[in-house]
Amino acid sequence: MNPGNIAYDRWGSGRPVILLHGLGDRRQSWRAVAPRLTGDYEVVAVDLPGFGESPAPERNEPYDVAGLVRVVREFCELHGFERPHLVGNSLGGSIALELGVQGVAGSVTVFSPAGFSDRFARWGMRTAGLAANLAARVPLTVRERLADTPPARAAARRVLRGDPASPGARTARFGVRELEPGGSYVRLVPRIADYDFTARPIPCPVTVAWGDRDRMLPPSGAGHAHRRIPGARMVSLIGAGHIPMADDPLAVSGHIRWTCRAGDRALSPSRVRS
């Protein structure tokens, strides 16, 4: 995986804030959050390798959490982002936490990070992976039609959004274009299902936030995170699902700002704004 091939958007100025999306998502998932941060920070939203506009690794390349951690770290080094604030959702949250352990981050804010699931949730991920593998064998035109049927739309609202009946949830839809045999999603799901975040201290401020209506990675994972990340600030996002940036961008941006400012104070108290 080449860090120079990572697609990204960049706004604002100041200390960098790197936004990392979840499995199967893309950098546009942060579009309602990024403008709320650009007044004080340089905000960089990336497409992880294999998603959005970033090319997938070759079939013979390792493609797992450790590999993604490495390439995001190299991306930061390539662009001169020193001790950036790291923010991630789901898979992106796992990457941010691992980089925090390595001392790369100035602060870490994560939303429903992978790596803290119980046995039942892991079984659900593996089942989703098998279903995706089967769906990948169906022609794209058929997959697109099926994804737009009322039952599939209702399932997407239920799984992805905190309040399936909210006006904003009407556009929720399972992405099927990337479902190809040997594609990025199919390759990564079993790796994520087997991934565990090992209990280790992180030498910067950390916030772990979990939607209380997350049906993909249940909120019980927050308890495991509390035990494995000493000193982390734990937050429950009331009414939010697995993608809280869509459900409550105001609360999400507020928690990011809180953690970033804590990291700013830890790094350089004399330069913190009042």
Side-chain angles (χ1 to χ4, degrees):
M1 289 182 278
N2 183 349
N5 291 335
I6 290 180
Y8 64 95
D9 291 323
R10 192 171 182 174
W11 313 271
S13 61
R15 193 169 174 194
V17 176
I18 313 297
L19 305 176
L20 306 171
H21 62 76
L23 179 64
D25 214 333
R26 56 188 64 200
R27 66 186 189 271
Q28 286 81 6
S29 63
W30 299 99
R31 61 183 175 270
V33 172
R36 302 173 189 273
L37 305 173
T38 54
D40 297 296
Y41 297 99
E42 179 179 17
V43 180
V44 182
V46 309
D47 279 336
L48 294 172
F51 301 99
E53 297 179 279
S54 294
E58 299 295 332
R59 297 292 178 88
N60 61 344
E61 285 188 89
Y63 194 28
D64 52 18
V65 174
L68 292 169
V69 169
R70 176 189 58 77
V71 77
V72 171
R73 179 169 186 161
E74 291 174 353
F75 171 82
C76 292
E77 293 170 351
L78 176 67
H79 293 281
F81 299 139
E82 185 177 352
R83 295 295 300 279
H85 298 296
L86 295 175
V87 180
N89 171 229
S90 192
L91 168 61
S94 305
I95 296 168
L97 289 170
E98 293 288 355
L99 288 169
V101 169
Q102 294 178 13
V104 172
S107 75
V108 175
T109 311
V110 296
F111 302 91
S112 298
F116 301 94
S117 299
D118 57 23
R119 189 176 304 172
F120 179 77
R122 292 179 190 282
W123 175 84
M125 279 188 278
R126 292 189 181 96
T127 301
L130 291 173
N133 202 13
L134 291 173
R137 304 174 189 278
V138 176
L140 176 60
T141 54
V142 176
R143 296 201 305 268
E144 293 279 11
R145 286 200 299 270
L146 290 173
D148 282 325
T149 61
R153 286 277 193 174
R157 290 194 296 271
R158 176 74 180 170
V159 171
L160 299 176
R161 302 302 295 271
D163 180 4
S166 68
R170 292 175 184 170
T171 58
R173 179 182 184 274
F174 289 125
V176 295
R177 185 166 293 275
E178 292 80 10
L179 293 181
E180 299 292 343
S184 302
Y185 185 89
V186 173
R187 290 170 65 185
L188 267 177
V189 166
R191 302 289 187 181
I192 305 306
D194 291 338
Y195 166 73
D196 254 325
F197 180 85
T198 305
R200 287 160 293 169
I202 298 177
C204 67
V206 178
T207 293
V208 178
W210 223 290
D212 70 337
R213 296 186 182 181
D214 191 332
R215 301 176 185 92
M216 188 167 290
L217 294 180
S220 58
H224 300 299
H226 178 64
R227 290 187 289 274
R228 295 185 206 171
I229 309 174
R233 170 177 174 256
M234 305 299 298
V235 174
S236 180
L237 298 172
I238 306 303
H242 188 62
I243 309 176
M245 306 90 76
D247 288 326
D248 196 347
L250 181 62
V252 166
S253 58
H255 290 303
I256 294 171
R257 280 183 170 278
W258 189 97
T259 320
C260 288
R261 286 173 175 166
D264 291 339
R265 288 192 295 270
L267 183 67
S268 181
S270 63
R271 290 187 292 172
V272 175
R273 302 180 182 186
S274 59

